[in-house]
Amino acid sequence: MPRLSLPNFSLEGFRRKLASVDALPQLCVLGVVSGLVTGAVMVGFRLLLGLGGLLFMPEGNHEAFEGLSPMVRSSLPLIAVALIGIFLWRQPSAARKLGVAHVIERLTYHQGRFPLRNWINQWWVGVATVLGGLSAGREGPAIHLGAAAASGLGQQLRLPHNSLRVLVACGTAAGISASFNTPIAGVIFAMEVVMMEYTIAGFMPVILASTMGALMAILVYGSEPAIQVPSVSLGSLMNLPWIVITALFIGLLAGLFIHVARSERISSLPVVLRLALVALVTAAVAWWYPDVQGIGYDSLDASLAGNLTVDVLLALVIAKLLLTAITVASGIPIGIIGPVLVVGAAAGALADLVGAWLFPQLGVEPGFYAMLGMAAMMGAVLQAPLAALMALLELTHNPNIILPGMLAVVVSGLTTRQLCRCDGFFISVTRHGLHPLQQPLMQALSRISVPAVMERSFVTTPRMVTRDQARALLVAKPAWILILRSTGDKPTLALKAADLARALIDEQELEEITSEEALIDLLEVPGLRLEMAPIHLQATLSEAFERLNDQAVDALYVEQGRRPKHKRISGIITRGSIERYYSLK
């Protein structure tokens, strides 16, 4: 009876598959696993916030700053900033980089590898900023924690860097999804804000990760969205001009936010002055308007229900916007997405009140303009219109809101970009000219790793060989001959094997060079020799391309293994092979 042979699911084979651009099944597996991991991390972070609320907040609600006495709620920012100043600022500047900006930086310049110290710092800093009454959100910490956890999984398995990039996107999407219970918005946010590209190979694993993240949150917190949104509709088309005016106003607010958050006047102040500024200003405003503290989802719900007074709405629009921006400019790493949504909803609610006073015939339901303001502010600050629209659709479960939502998001985004001269908030953080993630060449080369393109047919040899040794090198019909250094075992030059074979065949020329027993200098054999530098097996083609340019060489030998003495050469990749790959795509 014939025996059935099972396929070999070795980890090495899994890595090799992931190196290519068509590793969709393997990436989908990673998407499911990373989504579950990120969902669990996000649930853990939310439980920490809930535990803090149980310890000292009224009714155990970590958003209930209004229930605290003015003295207590004003002292919380002083304590939080002191803790951050003492424990975070003693660390190197690299360890103080947290949140979404840090995720984009690691994806851009470090192929999605995250330091453990930053990940640990994000846990306690995220909790301290929210429970400490600063104007801070939980989504930024959630994205960092999720992306780093998913990437850490790939690093432990030593997966190629092109798959680490996908894992970062998976962690980002699952973090947003588990925070808001908005899986589609999580996918679009990851692709539009973090990855800055749309590909089928990227979409599918990210969709699975976002779904798993939402599932983990649903199992713990139920299926209700994080923000309770009333059912509303456009009503009369007479609302459209006022929607445009409202979106224009919100776009200007978004531009103000970005300019203040990037203010060099604040960031250039001494550290002590910056921290004191944040603590004292937040404490002063919180004395009269505790609504500005924390994430502000309770204030957001009240804005959507039309239950806030004009003075509270003004405090949210002006004070919360400036407090959040000043905190960012001072270098305190906070999440901005939640506060931005709150400010946008309050601005929309104010526009609703003004519109009802000027044009009573408009007659829209309470919360309609607040909802549009929320999406418009998010889209303008992040320059992520699709993510804002998907969040609006998933939070409202109402497709009728999409038409006015599209108008509001586009107008506010154009206003911020064209009138205020602002790019997306997170792009502003890292931009030096055109952002690397927006360059088509680097995007294409980042989707595939070195093993998928490298030439594996090679032999290594010392520079000096006999004629018999030279013939032996050609027995296996290699494509390349790697010439080792005079000292050590690292190659410095690559010679095409065909050039050596041609020289051996040309007996007359070879006899002029050497006798049968004499040594042949491979550097004297006619042919093109490429200077070489090392690259590791997990690198992407974008890393290889940058390495070729930095080292001013035309070829790289690919090393495998972690320990220096145990590294072995797995292949060779040339500038021409990278150019051929890109031209075929």
Side-chain angles (χ1 to χ4, degrees), residues 24-55:
L24 196 53
Q26 292 77 17
L27 290 174
C28 287
V29 171
L30 291 179
V32 171
V33 175
S34 62
L36 293 173
V37 170
T38 300
V41 168
M42 184 60 199
V43 168
F45 184 70
R46 291 178 66 174
L47 289 176
L48 274 180
L49 292 176
L51 178 61
L54 288 174
L55 291 177

Side-chain angles (χ1 to χ4, degrees), residues 27-40 146 150 166-178 183 186-187 190 202-217:
L27 290 174
C28 287
V29 171
L30 291 179
V32 171
V33 175
S34 62
L36 293 173
V37 170
T38 300
V166 177
L167 282 171
V168 170
C170 289
T172 299
I176 289 289
S177 177
V187 173
F203 258 122
M204 290 190 179
V206 173
I207 288 172
L208 288 172
S210 189
T211 302
M212 294 299 106
L215 179 60
M216 292 293 291

Side-chain angles (χ1 to χ4, degrees), residues 176 179-183 185 224-231 297 300-301 304 341 371 374-375 378 387-398 401:
I176 289 289
S179 181
F180 290 109
N181 194 15
T182 53
E224 292 296 323
I227 302 170
Q228 301 299 321
V229 178
S231 176
Y297 284 158
L300 178 56
D301 289 335
L304 293 169
L341 292 175
M371 198 178 309
M374 182 177 65
M378 176 181 173
L389 286 173
M390 287 301 101
L392 182 65
L393 177 61
E394 288 186 287
L395 289 171
T396 61
H397 301 287
N398 183 3
I401 198 69

